Amino acid sequence: MARADIAIIGSGPAGISAAITAKVRNKNILLFGSGGLSEKLRKAHGIRNYPGLPDISGADLADAFQEHLDALEIPMLQEQVTNIYAMGDYFAIQTSAGMYEASTVILGAGVVQGKPLPGEDEYLGRGVSYCATCDANFYKDGTVAVLGYNDEAVSETEFLASVCKKVYYIPGKGNPEFEAENIEVVHERPKAVLGALKVNALQTEQREIPVDGVFILKDAISPDKLVPGLEIDGAHVVVNLQMETNLPGFFACGDVAGKPYQYVKAAGQGNIAALSAVAYLAEHKVAKN
């Protein structure tokens, strides 16, 4: 596997800015994000704090970002990143489609809203998972529940149904229908993940559903769950003025790095994070030589 210089997670202003800066400095980059870039950005009716663009819609700004990426021939990897592991002199990046390696990482994702379910943190890795295609085989011929909050939840549930004996699907958005007979759609509000050494049930407002595992499928994962050992403060990653985190070679920028939640601030921090990553790579190369 070819190791990238910089992996960038997020396709909002922070991630796009970081990708552009890293690319023009001739770094080999991986950019993970949505094909439509940031949904939050595209839904913004008007943006009035961006220098040189006194009144632009979010959709137009996103289109301008995409044109800039295309001009620099920066592709978008439309794969959800589910885990990032610090491996010493590089990072292993797990996605819904496979594994990647990068010498440095820039996290430019947004802030994860909402609190975890009771038991979600406790049983993470012991029955709670955020990636069905990654962990389905652990539950072969078993029973699982899926809390579907993103667009990929339906296809991931269908994949689970091909591996598991029974799948309970609790829709967080939409009301999908499935052809597989072993998928049961449950219109009940989840309340908690239950277990002993491992998960053994999902509690809803109406009952306890016996399961071997619970898949929580959503667009964003809390940074402390995404990156083991990453220092956070509430919903935000702790960074210094150079966008450095407590993990050497790992940087964060944009909303995930703290308030204010403004596009111009996110883009500026993305630029700083990329410059810091480039400097880190240079220093690391000197140290190795």
Side-chain angles (χ1 to χ4, degrees):
M1 177 188 298
R3 184 176 298 172
D5 293 321
I6 305 173
I8 300 160
I9 319 300
S11 51
I16 299 303
S17 176
I20 291 169
T21 300
K23 180 69 173 182
V24 299
R25 280 158 178 78
N26 298 316
K27 297 306 175 186
N28 176 21
I29 67 173
L30 299 171
L31 176 60
F32 296 93
S34 168
L37 303 187
S38 165
E39 183 179 359
K40 175 186 174 184
L41 174 60
R42 285 200 174 275
K43 288 183 177 180
H45 294 293
I47 298 170
R48 297 179 177 84
N49 67 333
Y50 214 89
L53 302 171
D55 190 5
I56 187 172
S57 71
D60 287 343
L61 185 57
D63 288 340
F65 285 162
Q66 185 62 61
E67 289 177 8
H68 203 156
L69 292 176
D70 293 342
L72 292 174
E73 299 182 346
I74 300 174
M76 184 76 69
L77 291 169
Q78 298 181 49
E79 303 171 20
Q80 184 179 12
V81 175
T82 56
N83 286 107
I84 302 172
Y85 302 102
M87 305 298 291
D89 61 345
Y90 74 97
F91 293 88
I93 302 160
Q94 183 178 39
T95 77
S96 54
M99 295 290 293
Y100 297 85
E101 294 181 2
S103 297
T104 62
V105 174
I106 297 172
L107 180 62
V111 175
V112 177
Q113 303 293 339
K115 296 181 179 180
L117 279 176
E120 178 179 339
D121 290 346
E122 180 182 356
Y123 292 107
L124 181 61
R126 295 191 292 131
V128 170
S129 173
Y130 298 118
C131 180
T133 53
C134 304
D135 297 334
N137 285 329
F138 290 117
Y139 304 96
K140 187 175 181 180
D141 298 324
T143 299
V144 299
V146 176
L147 311 186
Y149 299 110
N150 63 14
D151 294 334
E152 291 74 34
V154 170
S155 60
E156 293 208 32
T157 298
E158 291 171 340
F159 175 73
L160 280 168
S162 70
V163 176
C164 301
K165 177 177 65 177
K166 177 75 173 182
V167 180
Y168 294 96
Y169 183 82
I170 295 89
K173 59 185 295 186
N175 187 22
E177 296 181 358
F178 299 94
E179 293 185 3
E181 294 182 356
N182 60 334
I183 300 176
E184 180 180 340
V185 179
V186 177
H187 294 282
E188 300 173 14
R189 182 180 177 186
K191 297 292 290 183
V193 179
L194 306 178
L197 292 177
K198 297 182 179 180
V199 167
N200 58 34
L202 175 68
Q203 183 180 28
T204 72
E205 290 184 328
Q206 286 77 26
R207 56 177 168 154
E208 291 183 9
I209 303 175
V211 295
D212 301 303
V214 176
F215 289 87
I216 303 174
L217 307 182
K218 48 191 177 182
D219 288 324
I221 301 172
S222 178
D224 59 324
K225 300 182 183 67
L226 183 69
V227 191
L230 185 64
E231 183 182 359
I232 64 168
D233 182 8
H236 304 127
V237 178
V238 176
V239 296
N240 62 17
L241 292 177
Q242 302 307 313
M243 304 295 107
E244 296 169 321
T245 71
N246 65 306
L247 300 178
F250 194 96
F251 308 86
C253 53
D255 288 359
V256 76
K259 296 179 179 180
Y261 301 147
Q262 291 187 318
Y263 298 123
V264 65
K265 170 259 191 183
Q269 286 190 340
N271 172 261
I272 294 170
L275 292 174
S276 294
V278 169
Y280 177 89
L281 290 167
E283 293 169 3
H284 189 63
K285 183 177 181 179
V286 170
K288 287 174 64 176
N289 291 338

